[in-house]
Amino acid sequence: MSTPVVIDVVSDVVCPWCYVGKKRLEAAMRMLPEQNFAVFWRPFQLDPTIPKEGLPRKTYLERKFGNLERLAQTHAQLVEIGKAEGIAFAFERITRSPNTLDAHRLIRWAQEAGKQTEMVDRLFALYFAEGADIGNHEVLIKAAVDVGLDGALVTQLLATGADLDPVIAEINAAGKMGITGVPTFIFASRYAISGAHPAETIKKAIEQNALTNH
């Protein structure tokens, strides 16, 4: 088998374009069936100022965007884009804007268990399709169990500051690399593209920058 191409995806679980980008990356990888991939999900916070307990969604959006009419148009556009990618965006179900640090800790632990992609997928679906508060520990513990992680262990870890520092360090490292928007895809640690590009564009980027001299 071929040596896997390493793809690091810098993303936040409350970023709708990251969800779209995940689906498009997967479609791009399916277009290269002979190639092996190792995908790692790296943390980013769209808004680190949100308190640990989160904020009421409407209050937060009004404070951040002011006029919500334009945001409603963006959401309507995303609903259509989502349908094409198999995503059932239900923005009207979201009632809280969470702080995502604990969700990123959970994604980190899932990687150690070989379940990182499943964990990311579950958190995206919980937030964007089911409107769950993914800053809530009960929600995170159930999500962990859903993908096959040890619920008792996750309960114990969430109650402590386990892996908080490494997650924050990774978020800071993304900033130092000049990453200001997500999703950002880094191929073979040497070439990056930012944004939820069409699958064909992602495929070309992999071929031109990760498969040459691989």
Side-chain angles (χ1 to χ4, degrees):
M1 291 295 277
S2 58
T3 312
V5 166
V6 174
I7 302 175
D8 291 290
V9 187
V10 184
S11 141
D12 197 0
V13 277
V14 291
C15 162
W17 288 108
C18 293
Y19 197 3
V20 171
K22 179 181 189 293
K23 296 291 188 184
R24 290 178 174 175
L25 171 65
E26 287 164 352
M29 293 192 298
R30 285 196 297 272
M31 291 175 194
L32 297 162
E34 302 302 307
Q35 184 56 54
N36 270 352
F37 295 96
V39 179
F40 298 97
W41 291 85
R42 305 298 183 191
F44 188 88
Q45 280 197 293
L46 285 177
D47 190 344
T49 69
I50 293 176
K52 189 170 167 46
E53 66 280 5
L55 289 167
R57 174 80 166 167
K58 193 165 182 291
T59 310
Y60 174 71
L61 292 178
E62 280 169 350
R63 190 186 303 170
K64 189 167 183 180
F65 296 102
N67 184 343
L68 294 185
E69 272 176 42
R70 220 163 97 204
L71 188 66
Q73 288 170 357
T74 304
H75 283 170
Q77 180 196 2
L78 273 161
V79 167
E80 290 311 308
I81 290 166
K83 279 179 191 165
E85 305 297 340
I87 298 169
F89 281 118
F91 293 102
E92 72 286 353
R93 288 187 175 177
I94 303 170
T95 59
R96 285 194 81 70
S97 289
N99 181 299
T100 54
L101 271 180
D102 285 340
H104 286 306
R105 288 163 73 205
L106 183 55
I107 290 165
R108 185 184 180 89
W109 302 328
Q111 183 194 323
E112 291 161 19
K115 299 271 188 181
Q116 198 180 30
T117 296
E118 294 92 328
M119 191 76 257
V120 170
D121 212 49
R122 186 70 193 111
L123 290 171
F124 275 141
L126 276 167
Y127 186 65
F128 286 112
E130 298 173 37
D133 176 6
I134 56 170
N136 179 291
H137 282 189
E138 293 302 315
V139 171
L140 293 176
I141 292 159
K142 184 172 185 323
V145 173
D146 287 346
V147 303
L149 298 188
D150 180 338
L153 179 60
V154 168
T155 304
Q156 200 180 329
L157 290 171
L158 280 172
T160 70
D163 285 323
L164 197 55
D165 289 345
V167 166
I168 292 168
E170 270 200 80
I171 291 167
N172 292 340
K176 283 179 188 147
M177 283 165 66
I179 295 170
T180 54
V182 287
T184 293
F185 302 99
I186 305 166
F187 305 107
S189 301
R190 61 171 179 258
Y191 178 76
I193 59 170
S194 188
H197 294 277
E200 190 60 48
T201 307
I202 298 173
K203 172 182 172 267
K204 278 183 188 153
I206 294 168
E207 287 172 326
Q208 290 165 8
N209 303 286
L211 298 186
T212 48
N213 308 318
H214 182 60

